[in-house]
Amino acid sequence: MPKYLLRVAVAVALLAGAAGTSGCSDSGEEETPKAGGTEGAPPLKWGDCEAPTAAEGGGQAPPKDWQCATLHVPLDYADPEGETIPLALIRAKARNQGERLGSLVFNFGGPGGSGITTLPGAAKEYEALRRRYDLVSFDPRGVGRSAPVLCLDDKQLDAYYASDSSPDTPEAEKAYLENTRRYQRACEAKSGKVLPYVGTENAARDLDRIRQALGDEKLNYFGISYGTELGGVYAHLFPEKVGRTVFDAVVDPTATSEQGALGQAKGFQLALGNFAQDCVDRGDECRLQGSTAKEIEDNIIKLQKQLAAKPIPGIGDRMLTESSATNGIAQSLYSQELWPLLEQGLDEAEGGQGQLLMALSDALNGRSENGDYSNIGAANTAVNCVDSKDRYTLEQTKAKLPAFRAASPVFGDFLGWAMMGCTGWPVPGTAETPDVSAPGADPILVIGNTGDPATPYEGARKMVERLGPGVGVELTYKGEGHGAYNSGDPCVQGAVNSYLLDGKVPAANTVCTPAPDASQPPARPSAPAEPVGARAHSRAGGHASSGTPRG
């Protein structure tokens, strides 16, 4: 299934379940008003936000009009009166309180992405929705400030992400498997207490606690990438509590780990082909050698082989390896606005300079300029491996590699090997695929993007089918990049805004096609991008870090 990643740090106080407002100061606390009929969770105490932790990706504190709070939830829902863990939340209050509809809760994907850092950074994209909604997001359990899963330290992660993720000799295979085991042992040693409880079903139950604490009768929700799977599981568990809901960049809920990884191989290869063809169409403006898209792709494969044999200078004393270059290429395919950087990075790498591709790879892996990693990679692995029963042997994996190479000469080996990321994981998986059937739920708008590399377009139709009759409403966007709403396309945004703000469900099978000369918005994806193959993340797990990406 497709999932992805990015970000590592400390967790002692959080795992101890410190009370109060983790991530908030004590000044200016404000309680969330309770609406009649909501149940369970106490109202939230909102206060000023602190700067994001290293595990959340670091950076500056959000603007003063943002507020943070902490909600304590059961570590184990089978023992609801037992130990609790903190969930960190953030919100920006609705501009027009007189027309306020409630809260709109966002999950931007991963699994493992921090909502505390992502929502403020992407808030301008959702300004129209803030007119009538409080915009709310959170760090899901295992992520950022919410009892984060921790594995390797920063220096170890530098070596881990640089190591060979597509071994082609017995010696390389042995090193790959040992790297995977080393990663897993570190996760168990540092985070064994929470590993059994970070799966999507528990996160969905957390969502309902958040709904209760916000005082909303129903959950209004915007899920992106893996956030669509989380939303689908929520809809299955709590169909009567589904409010106005949008799924964008949709994970295929019917795909096994192998099927999801293979779909991603095809998706990234499709996006790379579109990039290469665009370069050819621009003629002499294109910096890359090759008169056809295939020639450009062949040169990329040649570069990969050269880097496998001899890495080139990257950033500081780090070298650009085949794995880090492939991650950098994948990062650039998440958004069409990043294509110029991919073109420049490939051109420079062919000339022996790997700084730009390494910077793109660092962004994908959640590495800041000062060398700190967020914990998105660790959280992604942990969630994927507890969600999925799939555990592939070395023999099974090697037998499947030809199909992956046929699907993508550039990404196939990486995504194929990534299926072993959960083999040997200390916690057993729970299912082959998630149950997202939601009979009786209110309509859910499901958006598929025909050019999406990470969550291929076909997943939207499968989600609609699995949600059940009268629930899923499909909308198609014929565009590029991961997701549709963040493209700025007026057709997509108009349909979403009309539904969320006015309750008008678009006609099923609506198609939005961007104008040929449509200007593109700034390069800021709505959902975190996540590494491919080298550390691809999804149900299967990936290198020592998880499997095929979810989104």
Side-chain angles (χ1 to χ4, degrees):
M1 178 107 323
K3 287 186 179 179
Y4 287 117
L5 25 150
L6 310 117
R7 313 194 190 322
V8 131
V10 276
V12 184
L14 297 180
L15 289 172
T21 53
S22 193
C24 303
S25 73
D26 293 331
S27 62
E29 286 191 355
E30 171 187 347
E31 287 198 359
T32 302
K34 295 293 286 183
T38 54
E39 67 284 5
L44 294 163
K45 294 183 178 180
W46 296 97
D48 295 338
C49 296
E50 298 175 355
T53 65
E56 291 172 308
Q60 300 297 313
K64 287 296 184 183
D65 59 340
W66 289 79
Q67 298 174 308
C68 287
T70 298
L71 174 67
H72 290 269
V73 298
L75 173 65
D76 180 2
Y77 276 97
D79 183 17
E81 302 304 319
E83 183 176 356
T84 64
I85 57 173
L87 294 183
L89 288 87
I90 191 167
R91 77 170 177 183
K93 296 177 72 173
R95 300 284 189 193
N96 190 339
Q97 288 291 307
E99 295 184 3
R100 181 180 176 275
L101 295 170
S103 300
L104 180 62
V105 180
F106 289 79
N107 181 279
F108 293 94
S114 167
I116 301 294
T117 55
T118 305
L119 181 57
K124 288 183 179 179
E125 297 178 11
Y126 306 106
E127 187 62 32
L129 301 174
R130 189 178 174 184
R131 180 169 61 85
R132 301 190 67 190
Y133 284 105
D134 294 347
L135 304 185
V136 177
S137 194
F138 64 109
D139 286 354
R141 56 174 57 212
V143 176
R145 220 181 279 263
S146 300
V149 174
L150 302 174
C151 300
L152 300 176
D153 64 31
D154 294 339
K155 189 168 289 291
Q156 291 169 327
L157 284 170
D158 277 346
Y160 172 70
Y161 284 120
S163 64
D164 187 359
S165 334
S166 59
D168 52 12
T169 67
E171 295 75 19
E173 289 175 10
K174 182 179 179 181
Y176 178 85
L177 296 175
E178 180 52 37
N179 279 341
T180 300
R181 287 190 289 267
R182 185 181 300 114
Y183 190 97
Q184 293 173 346
R185 288 194 297 267
C187 297
E188 184 175 20
K190 293 184 179 180
S191 303
K193 181 179 178 181
V194 299
L195 292 183
Y197 306 108
V198 295
T200 299
E201 183 173 325
N202 280 332
R205 296 187 185 281
D206 291 342
L207 266 181
D208 203 58
R209 291 294 182 103
I210 291 172
R211 174 194 64 79
Q212 296 170 36
L214 291 170
D216 291 340
E217 291 284 354
K218 293 190 173 186
L219 177 71
N220 301 308
Y221 179 76
F222 200 132
I224 302 162
S225 199
Y226 162 76
T228 67
E229 181 172 321
L230 175 59
V233 172
Y234 178 88
H236 171 70
L237 294 174
F238 307 100
E240 74 284 358
K241 297 300 183 182
V242 173
R244 297 178 187 177
T245 296
V246 174
F247 292 171
D248 187 7
V250 184
V251 168
D252 181 351
T254 72
T256 64
S257 295
E258 178 186 351
Q259 292 165 344
L262 199 56
Q264 277 198 326
K266 295 174 182 176
F268 275 96
Q269 191 67 35
L270 172 66
L272 184 66
N274 292 341
F275 157 78
Q277 187 59 54
D278 175 76
C279 215
V280 169
D281 292 344
R282 290 189 291 107
D284 291 341
E285 293 180 10
C286 178
R287 301 170 61 159
L288 302 180
Q289 297 296 315
S291 58
T292 67
K294 185 177 185 308
E295 288 181 1
I296 290 177
E297 292 176 28
D298 287 344
N299 286 333
I300 292 173
I301 297 168
K302 181 180 177 182
L303 174 64
Q304 287 179 305
K305 292 178 179 178
Q306 290 172 342
L307 293 172
K310 185 179 180 181
I312 62 176
I315 297 174
D317 60 358
R318 293 184 298 144
M319 303 294 284
L320 183 75
T321 64
E322 179 190 16
S323 293
S324 51
T326 303
N327 259 351
I329 295 168
Q331 162 73 355
S332 308
L333 297 175
Y334 273 89
S335 172
Q336 191 171 1
E337 291 78 33
L338 296 177
W339 287 5
L341 293 181
L342 175 56
E343 181 182 335
Q344 180 182 346
L346 289 170
D347 180 54
E348 292 176 357
E350 289 174 353
Q353 297 298 316
Q355 289 89 344
L356 181 50
L357 283 185
M358 178 160 276
L360 290 164
S361 179
D362 286 348
L364 194 63
N365 291 327
R367 187 187 195 275
S368 67
E369 291 184 6
N370 64 9
D372 293 336
Y373 282 87
S374 78
N375 91 309
I376 188 170
N380 185 287
T381 303
V383 175
N384 290 335
C385 293
V386 78
D387 277 359
S388 175
K389 285 184 175 180
D390 293 329
R391 303 291 190 263
Y392 297 94
T393 66
L394 177 62
E395 292 72 22
Q396 288 172 330
T397 300
K398 292 173 73 171
K400 298 175 188 298
L401 289 177
F404 279 86
R405 292 171 185 144
S408 174
V410 174
F411 301 103
D413 266 323
F414 294 85
L415 283 162
W417 279 104
M419 292 195 305
M420 290 198 68
C422 292
T423 301
W425 189 250
V427 175
T430 56
E432 290 187 355
T433 60
D435 193 343
V436 299
S437 60
D442 284 353
I444 295 174
L445 180 56
V446 179
I447 308 170
N449 179 355
T450 58
D452 195 317
T455 50
Y457 170 67
E458 294 77 14
R461 175 59 54 84
K462 297 292 181 62
M463 178 66 80
V464 167
E465 292 172 353
R466 283 296 174 94
L467 288 169
V471 180
V473 178
E474 186 175 8
L475 182 149
T476 294
Y477 172 58
K478 292 188 174 182
E480 298 290 342
H482 188 40
Y485 189 89
N486 59 305
S487 71
D489 181 76
C491 173
V492 173
Q493 292 193 342
V496 171
N497 294 349
S498 181
Y499 175 45
L500 290 177
L501 295 171
D502 303 316
K504 297 178 181 178
V505 182
N509 302 314
T510 295
V511 177
C512 292
T513 304
D517 60 347
S519 59
Q520 297 293 336
R524 178 191 292 153
S526 283
E530 306 109 0
V532 118
R535 279 40 179 186
H537 302 11
S538 108
R539 287 217 179 105
H543 189 35
S545 161
S546 136
T548 59
R550 271 190 233 180

